[in-house]
Amino acid sequence: MTFFVYDGTFEGLLCAVFESYSRKIVPDYVIFEKEQLSLFSDDVVSIVSNAEQATRVWKGLQKKLSASACSMLAVTSMASDYPDLGSLLFRYVRKTFDTQKSIETNFGDSDVLVVSKLYKKVSRESNRVIQFVRFQKTVDNIFFAPIDPIHNVLPLVVKHFTNRFADQKWVIYDMRRHYGYYFDLKTTQEIIFENLQADLESGKLSENVLAHDEKLFQQLWKTYFKSMTIKERINPKLHRQNLPKRFWKYLTEKQ
Amino acid sequence: MNESALKKLKTLAESAKYDVSCASSGTTRNNKNKTLGSAAGWGICHSFTEDGRCVSLFKIMLTNNCMYDCAYCVNRRSNDIPRATFEAEELVSLTIEFYRRNYIEGLFLSSGVIKNPDYTMERMLAVVKSLRTEHRFNGYIHMKSIPGASRELVRQAGLYADRLSVNIEIPSEQNLKLIAPEKDYQSVYKPMSYIHQGLLENQEERQKFRHAPRFVPAGQSTQMIIGATPETDRQILGLSSLLYRQPSMKRVYYSGYVPVNKSDSRLPILEIPPLVRENRLYQADWLMRFYHFKANEITDEKFPNLDLSVDPKLGWALRHPEYFPVDINKADYEMILRVPGIGVKSAQMIIASRRYSKLGHWELKKIGVVMKRAQYFITCNELTHYTIQEARPEYVRKMLTDKSKKNQKDPNQLLLNFSE
Ligand code: SF4
């Protein structure tokens, strides 16, 4: 069996496709370097990311796929929690090149269908981050929000927040993957905190770093949220369906 | 901001919560010059209340004092409830601080009527104007237009708000007059038509001057209370479809009557709000907007009310077995859309995929068709199943309603769709 091992990025994946054509081998699996190699991995090829090769493959894809299918692929590549993501995307890209007609709407092909479903999952997760991020204001006027999404969707939502909160400094931090983005009123950059002054369980910043009126606004929001419920219509099942429990820990109104 | 604001907030949120619309969709606005806020177009819900409703906008009343006495309303003047009034600055600051923490998409401002409609509108205008001009707030603003407000004030409001709404509340004028004696359809339709005309004029203007300010870019909406008065679903849906003829009317909301004033003899005594009916009306509304159904197909003279035990699409199919079964591999889009168990997305995917190869049972399932329902209404690239022609509508109805009962314990707990 042949394995391609790539770095887990979309660029790396495109390079795997490049390698496959230039060496004329089709691997059985394309796996992320952190994944466990199986016992039968007799043939292992390490893929080194290379911007130039990736761009060539990407340009080729853009010729064969619609713009929306291209962005769908890029988004799907963030589905970090899907097992065997690399092989799936690899097959999709190869099929695109190997068939004459575009495959993007052929949902009878299981890879096409799985990619489109996975794409929906990743977009749903990034939408949920956009919905449920809760900022806490700190003494130095930075708005801080912890998140814990299933897939690695933070890079997909940075643009939304940069556009929306353009006159305040903010940090959104992925507590599971230990990295975040910081907007300093000019640019948005990736950051890693060595010792974050927040409770990892609740995502709450310690009191001494909170702005003086932060607690009050949290209180106001909780009061508002509670008053909005119409008791005659309580529906816990629907509530949990819309607001999955795993998000509750960082939601101000649920604390 | 202090303790007194907290008390006001509680009172005025309680008073505002019965207005069901909360959508923030319909406008896409990017941030300008490093100010605060944007509008996303897809109507982001930031939370959900325990009754399952989307919290998108900060839905609040400027005041719950009101000189009117509408029988169905908590805030009517004859009710003995805590009253409060916000200062404009308090509301502005709450909106901005909530927005900065990503709690909300923007503001939904309504108000009880104080002094007269125009005076009330002016007070509301002060809030939205300050948000837009002093604070350069780009988030979403939905403002209620007070029934009876003048054209000039509606015009001004439209320049700051993304959406305006005037609620019809009661689906027939004669009943409206009965239970809201100070209101009539004129006072509702006039502001509605001001909004509509304002939009048309704005479109012309923007063709001439590309940078002319936009007037209610997300159009208008309205709400009807269901079950407080005896109108049939046919009357209600007929009115909705008339309203939807105006392109500026984006949404009609249906709000199952919550018996807030239990002792009023003009209103029925209900144990619980008519949630199933409300849900069926939303489904019917959905069929009119996205499935190309006409109001008189969904209900008619013989069946003036929706069948509560099945959704209106299935109801139509059961009444019209002559259209089925539909051949999935040949039928046109319109007909595929009418098959129970096939939604808009699946219908589009069917049309796209069948160009590659004929579709069978398995492919349909993978596409997301609910085969349990659809099986009685289709033929595909396989042996014909037991369709509605062989089985007869009565049998299909029984099969499909028995099933839904099993996995749905409480018939009053239905999915509500408030998204656009
Ligand atoms: S005018 Fe509005 S706030 Fe006043 S009683 Fe009627 S519905 Fe209620």
Side-chain angles (χ1 to χ4, degrees):
Chain A
M1 267 205 247
T2 318
F3 283 75
F4 276 12
V5 180
Y6 79 122
D7 61 4
T9 64
F10 190 48
E11 187 181 290
L13 186 100
L14 295 176
C15 294
V17 174
F18 187 90
E19 282 293 322
S20 158
Y21 282 107
S22 67
R23 294 192 186 206
K24 298 200 172 57
I25 11 176
V26 179
D28 298 285
Y29 290 99
V30 177
I31 63 168
F32 179 29
E33 55 199 10
K34 286 190 188 143
E35 282 174 290
Q36 198 66 39
L37 275 173
S38 96
L39 290 173
F40 310 103
S41 38
D42 13 276
D43 232 335
V44 177
V45 180
S46 298
I47 305 295
V48 185
S49 272
N50 169 320
E52 197 188 319
Q53 290 174 1
T55 314
R56 274 179 65 186
V57 178
W58 182 239
K59 287 215 167 116
L61 271 176
Q62 284 173 320
K63 275 189 204 128
K64 291 217 67 167
L65 292 176
S66 69
S68 65
C70 286
S71 78
M72 176 185 77
L73 266 185
V75 169
T76 312
S77 73
M78 293 301 188
S80 54
D81 293 23
Y82 181 81
D84 209 19
L85 176 71
S87 309
L88 173 73
L89 294 173
F90 178 86
R91 284 196 303 272
Y92 189 102
V93 177
R94 281 245 16 175
K95 274 184 199 167
T96 301
F97 288 125
D98 295 345
T99 28
Q100 223 176 7
K101 225 163 140 192
S102 160
I103 60 162
E104 62 184 271
T105 50
N106 184 10
F107 300 104
D109 180 318
S110 80
D111 285 335
V112 177
L113 196 73
V114 172
V115 166
S116 94
K117 288 202 168 144
L118 201 52
Y119 164 72
K120 275 183 208 137
K121 274 198 191 132
V122 177
S123 335
R124 192 182 318 133
E125 189 71 0
S126 58
N127 285 349
R128 280 182 164 155
V129 169
I130 287 175
Q131 293 173 271
F132 303 140
V133 151
R134 291 292 181 266
F135 289 109
Q136 307 159 54
K137 189 177 172 188
T138 67
V139 265
D140 23 62
N141 285 330
I142 296 174
F143 288 77
F144 172 82
I147 58 170
D148 183 13
I150 295 181
H151 297 294
N152 183 23
V153 295
L154 180 53
L156 300 173
V157 301
V158 166
K159 200 173 144 215
H160 167 85
F161 287 105
T162 306
N163 179 35
R164 171 161 294 195
F165 298 110
D167 73 338
Q168 74 192 47
K169 294 182 194 167
W170 51 260
V171 171
I172 302 176
Y173 207 74
D174 186 329
M175 307 291 269
R176 186 187 300 204
R177 296 169 189 84
H178 306 291
Y179 81 106
Y181 281 90
Y182 171 48
F183 175 70
D184 63 0
L185 299 180
K186 286 192 198 76
T187 54
T188 320
Q189 285 155 357
E190 204 176 310
I191 44 159
I192 292 169
F193 289 128
E194 291 306 335
N195 49 356
L196 188 60
Q197 284 203 46
D199 176 7
L200 285 180
E201 272 307 301
S202 70
K204 271 199 183 126
L205 292 175
S206 22
E207 300 245 345
N208 58 344
V209 298
L210 286 182
H212 76 281
D213 55 0
E214 176 56 26
K215 281 260 133 108
L216 174 66
F217 282 108
Q218 292 188 8
Q219 190 57 39
L220 284 160
W221 174 243
K222 282 190 211 177
T223 307
Y224 172 76
F225 180 77
K226 246 172 113 186
S227 321
M228 281 324 279
T229 303
I230 299 180
K231 285 197 286 303
E232 290 88 338
R233 307 180 61 132
I234 292 276
N235 189 342
K237 201 174 137 207
L238 182 57
H239 178 63
R240 276 194 309 276
Q241 198 176 318
N242 285 330
L243 197 65
K245 255 201 154 138
R246 64 191 169 89
F247 289 97
W248 290 13
K249 59 181 172 185
Y250 298 151
L251 283 176
T252 317
E253 62 270 31
K254 282 289 178 190
Q255 281 158 4
Chain B
M1 212 46 60
N2 51 32
E3 285 300 311
S4 93
L6 200 68
K7 247 171 112 185
K8 285 187 191 175
L9 180 67
K10 190 161 179 296
T11 307
L12 290 164
E14 294 269 359
S15 285
K17 70 182 170 194
Y18 295 99
D19 200 306
V20 287
S21 76
C22 190
S24 59
S25 45
T27 312
T28 304
R29 184 172 340 107
N30 275 327
N31 191 289
K32 289 171 230 143
N33 313 322
K34 298 265 169 207
T35 51
L36 175 64
S38 60
W42 53 281
I44 302 169
C45 292
H46 286 279
S47 193
F48 292 87
T49 55
E50 282 173 26
D51 52 49
R53 293 179 307 154
C54 157
V55 179
S56 181
L57 302 175
F58 173 35
K59 193 192 297 184
I60 195 77
M61 289 186 104
L62 183 65
T63 176
N64 64 346
N65 284 302
C66 189
M67 51 189 242
Y68 290 168
D69 204 36
C70 310
Y72 49 80
C73 176
V74 248
N75 304 313
R76 61 178 183 173
R77 109 186 137 235
S78 56
N79 275 8
D80 180 22
I81 54 161
R83 306 276 175 178
T85 304
F86 267 123
E87 301 297 327
E89 307 84 73
E90 286 175 320
L91 268 186
V92 167
S93 142
L94 275 172
T95 306
I96 287 185
E97 294 299 328
F98 281 1
Y99 193 87
R100 288 196 182 286
R101 287 163 178 77
N102 205 43
Y103 299 162
I104 54 169
E105 278 301 286
L107 175 67
F108 177 177
L109 184 60
S110 65
S111 180
V113 186
I114 33 176
K115 277 197 191 151
N116 59 53
D118 275 356
Y119 177 80
T120 314
M121 279 291 273
E122 272 168 19
R123 302 274 306 256
M124 295 167 82
L125 261 173
V127 177
V128 294
K129 192 172 172 182
S130 159
L131 275 171
R132 286 283 195 243
T133 52
E134 277 162 57
H135 297 270
R136 304 209 291 152
F137 174 71
N138 281 308
Y140 196 94
I141 296 180
H142 178 162
M143 190 176 136
K144 276 274 260 310
S145 171
I146 302 296
S150 70
R151 180 191 294 266
E152 174 51 24
L153 291 176
V154 172
R155 196 191 62 82
Q156 282 188 40
L159 291 175
Y160 303 118
D162 290 284
R163 172 169 285 180
L164 288 175
S165 62
V166 201
N167 285 355
I168 290 182
E169 305 291 20
I170 300 301
S172 75
E173 182 164 29
Q174 130 219 16
N175 286 326
L176 177 73
K177 280 186 174 156
L178 191 69
I179 67 173
E182 289 101 342
K183 288 184 183 167
D184 58 24
Y185 268 21
Q186 275 306 306
S187 67
V188 176
Y189 284 149
K190 271 215 182 119
M192 261 185 193
S193 73
Y194 298 155
I195 298 169
H196 188 66
Q197 285 161 16
L199 253 170
L200 291 181
E201 283 163 23
N202 186 238
Q203 273 164 9
E204 260 174 47
E205 207 178 332
R206 281 174 62 84
Q207 269 166 10
K208 279 185 240 149
F209 314 100
R210 218 161 45 85
H211 294 294
R214 286 200 289 180
F215 183 88
V216 286
Q220 59 175 323
S221 66
T222 189
Q223 163 178 300
M224 286 188 243
I225 297 175
I226 304 307
T229 44
E231 290 83 7
T232 62
D233 293 336
R234 183 162 175 250
Q235 276 173 286
I236 293 168
L237 292 173
L239 183 52
S240 302
S241 78
L242 271 181
L243 290 166
Y244 281 134
R245 263 193 222 157
Q246 294 199 345
S248 65
M249 181 57 69
K250 299 298 179 208
R251 274 308 295 271
V252 177
Y253 290 91
Y254 309 91
S255 168
Y257 171 59
V258 180
V260 282
N261 302 323
K262 295 217 163 68
S263 60
D264 197 305
S265 63
R266 288 169 294 176
L267 293 168
I269 297 165
L270 302 176
E271 281 301 312
I272 44 160
L275 296 182
V276 180
R277 183 173 176 211
E278 176 192 284
N279 185 57
R280 294 285 179 238
L281 280 166
Y282 275 112
Q283 289 172 327
D285 187 272
W286 198 261
L287 290 184
M288 297 198 288
R289 290 187 300 135
F290 301 108
Y291 288 78
H292 312 192
F293 274 80
K294 297 209 175 63
N296 58 13
E297 290 181 296
I298 302 169
T299 49
D300 51 37
E301 250 164 85
K302 218 167 122 208
F303 301 99
N305 283 309
L306 294 167
D307 183 341
L308 296 186
S309 61
V310 295
D311 72 77
K313 191 176 169 192
L314 179 58
W316 180 84
L318 292 173
R319 291 200 305 274
H320 294 282
E322 68 274 16
Y323 288 101
F324 300 100
V326 164
D327 185 342
I328 287 298
N329 288 302
K330 292 209 185 88
D332 61 14
Y333 177 70
E334 294 288 313
M335 222 28 241
I336 288 179
L337 213 46
R338 293 218 164 197
V339 175
I342 298 184
V344 174
K345 282 222 178 88
S346 318
Q348 286 166 350
M349 276 168 101
I350 288 170
I351 301 286
S353 317
R354 71 184 185 187
R355 283 181 289 144
Y356 296 90
S357 57
K358 291 217 159 167
L359 305 177
H361 203 276
W362 168 240
E363 286 83 8
L364 290 177
K365 213 169 172 164
K366 280 203 299 181
I367 279 174
V369 173
V370 185
M371 288 306 280
K372 265 187 207 158
R373 298 185 144 238
Q375 59 176 334
Y376 301 107
F377 303 96
I378 57 169
T379 53
C380 50
N381 191 29
E382 274 156 16
L383 289 178
T384 320
H385 299 270
Y386 191 50
T387 74
I388 191 165
Q389 291 304 328
E390 294 81 37
R392 304 311 305 148
E394 302 73 46
Y395 173 81
V396 175
R397 163 187 287 271
K398 195 164 156 282
M399 291 310 289
L400 293 178
T401 42
D402 279 358
K403 283 235 178 64
S404 55
K405 244 180 222 134
K406 239 178 264 159
N407 41 27
Q408 201 185 296
K409 284 188 201 85
D410 184 353
N412 284 312
Q413 310 248 302
L414 284 172
L415 280 182
L416 277 182
N417 209 324
F418 286 106
S419 58
E420 309 238 341

